Amino acid sequence: MIHLGQTNTLEIIREAVQGLYIADEEGNEVLLPNRYVPEAFKIWDKIDVFVYLDNEERLVATTDKPYIKLHDFALLRCNQVTDYGAFLDWGLVKELFCPFKEQAFKMKPGGWYLVYCYLDEKTNRLVATSKTNNFLDNKNLTVNEFDEVDLIVSHPSEIGMNVIVNKVHTGLIYKDSIFKDLSIGDRLKGIVKKIRPGNKLDISLGQIGYRNIEPNADLIMHELHDNGGYLNLTDKSDPETIKDALQMSKKNFKKAVGTLYKQRLIEIKEDGIYLL
């Protein structure tokens, strides 16, 4: 079966004026236009292609890699807005359509928007929506406390930054847990810090408790090596100074420094930390 909106591994079965016809194991065919035909190929070779609908609503294959696939999230640029909706750049010749009804906020040309790609069952077309929460669910959690998770930064709130967790759930990183600049669409790792009533997920960008000490200590060691064995930081340094230098809280900094000191890897003086 050829999967619309996904990467398919298909077999070259014949050459035509307009390109190559490639097929799946069941004999379903799709055209790979001339612009994507590799310089060297043989009949029965297999090739990885992305399949979508062309301007005439016919299945077509491409070797270009889109910025988003079916059932995925991505930050895309709006190229144009018409009477029908917005058209987004997803890395392919034909733009990805986002109807007005699927826009959380009215899209404007040149703007960047976090969207989800789904299949419109009425038209059988791939469509984008910026109403991403409609495709996320915390009713049945697939994560536990202290699990490492994949995050996509969604949108800011008054108390922190909302994130998409494992492309399935919603979560929140509180302001006091953010020690680096975050932008909508950023992808990064995190930890489930706490599961609150209602299956609300509190997310941390670092590891929790004692698990946080080792990576932070490792980071300080790397910084010491990169700076000639000295860091102009102490337990009296301003929290913002520590945050700017190491992307960690003062509390975690002090824990990590204490660990390194006990291991006799550093020396602490009034003007900073020295590598032993």
Side-chain angles (χ1 to χ4, degrees):
M1 182 177 180
I2 295 177
H3 299 282
L4 181 65
Q6 300 286 1
T7 298
N8 296 255
T9 301
L10 303 177
E11 197 171 68
I12 299 172
I13 58 172
R14 70 178 186 276
E15 188 174 5
V17 175
Q18 60 269 42
L20 296 177
Y21 280 93
I22 53 183
D24 62 12
E25 294 179 352
E26 300 171 357
N28 300 304
E29 297 182 6
V30 63
L31 174 68
L32 180 67
N34 281 315
R35 64 185 298 168
Y36 306 115
V37 173
E39 291 184 6
F41 68 88
K42 299 189 298 292
I43 301 299
W44 313 127
D45 278 352
K46 290 189 176 181
I47 186 170
D48 292 332
V49 295
F50 180 79
V51 177
Y52 66 116
L53 298 180
D54 64 12
N55 290 323
E56 297 182 14
E57 308 302 325
R58 299 173 301 188
L59 282 179
V60 66
T62 176
T63 53
D64 287 345
K65 295 182 179 180
Y67 306 142
I68 191 172
K69 296 181 181 180
L70 181 64
H71 305 316
D72 200 0
F73 300 85
L75 187 70
L76 301 182
R77 183 182 185 275
C78 176
N79 281 348
Q80 60 175 319
V81 177
T82 70
D83 293 337
Y84 303 100
F87 290 85
L88 311 177
D89 176 14
W90 61 327
L92 302 181
V93 174
K94 181 185 177 184
E95 296 165 328
L96 183 63
F97 180 56
C98 182
F100 287 121
K101 67 177 182 178
E102 293 297 339
Q103 297 176 24
F105 301 96
K106 188 175 180 180
M107 293 182 175
K108 298 180 180 180
W112 291 82
Y113 303 93
L114 181 66
V115 298
Y116 176 83
C117 180
Y118 70 97
L119 187 65
D120 186 334
E121 294 181 356
K122 291 183 179 180
T123 63
N124 200 39
R125 292 188 303 176
L126 297 172
V127 178
T129 175
S130 60
K131 297 179 179 180
T132 54
N133 278 355
N134 290 342
F135 297 88
L136 301 170
D137 183 14
N138 283 35
K139 290 181 181 178
N140 300 303
L141 292 181
T142 60
V143 297
N144 298 303
E145 288 187 356
F146 308 124
D147 281 358
E148 183 179 66
V149 289
D150 293 314
L151 305 175
I152 302 174
V153 178
S154 176
H155 59 279
S157 73
E158 294 181 356
I159 56 176
M161 187 69 77
N162 290 284
V163 290
I164 297 169
V165 180
N166 287 348
K167 300 182 183 179
V168 177
H169 308 306
T170 61
L172 178 69
I173 307 173
Y174 286 95
K175 283 183 179 179
D176 60 3
S177 298
I178 299 175
F179 301 106
K180 63 170 71 175
D181 291 332
L182 297 179
S183 301
I184 294 174
D186 283 353
R187 294 173 183 259
L188 59 163
K189 296 286 187 180
I191 300 292
V192 178
K193 182 177 181 180
K194 185 178 182 181
I195 299 177
R196 292 186 286 118
N199 282 351
K200 295 179 180 179
L201 301 179
D202 291 350
I203 304 298
S204 171
L205 293 181
Q207 292 181 303
I208 310 301
Y210 71 90
R211 308 177 189 192
N212 202 20
I213 297 176
E214 186 176 345
N216 285 336
D218 188 57
L219 173 60
I220 292 173
M221 289 295 289
H222 278 291
E223 290 295 319
L224 282 166
H225 283 288
D226 290 343
N227 288 277
Y230 170 72
L231 282 179
N232 184 25
L233 297 171
T234 69
D235 60 359
K236 296 180 181 179
S237 296
D238 183 78
E240 287 299 316
T241 302
I242 295 172
K243 175 182 173 181
D244 291 340
L246 300 173
Q247 287 76 55
M248 71 178 70
S249 67
K250 184 171 182 177
K251 179 180 178 181
N252 288 337
F253 168 75
K254 292 172 70 174
K255 286 182 180 179
V257 168
T259 297
L260 295 174
Y261 181 75
K262 290 177 182 178
Q263 295 175 356
R264 298 183 180 180
L265 295 172
I266 61 170
E267 183 179 5
I268 303 173
K269 296 184 178 181
E270 289 187 5
D271 62 335
I273 305 168
Y274 290 82
L275 186 66
L276 289 177

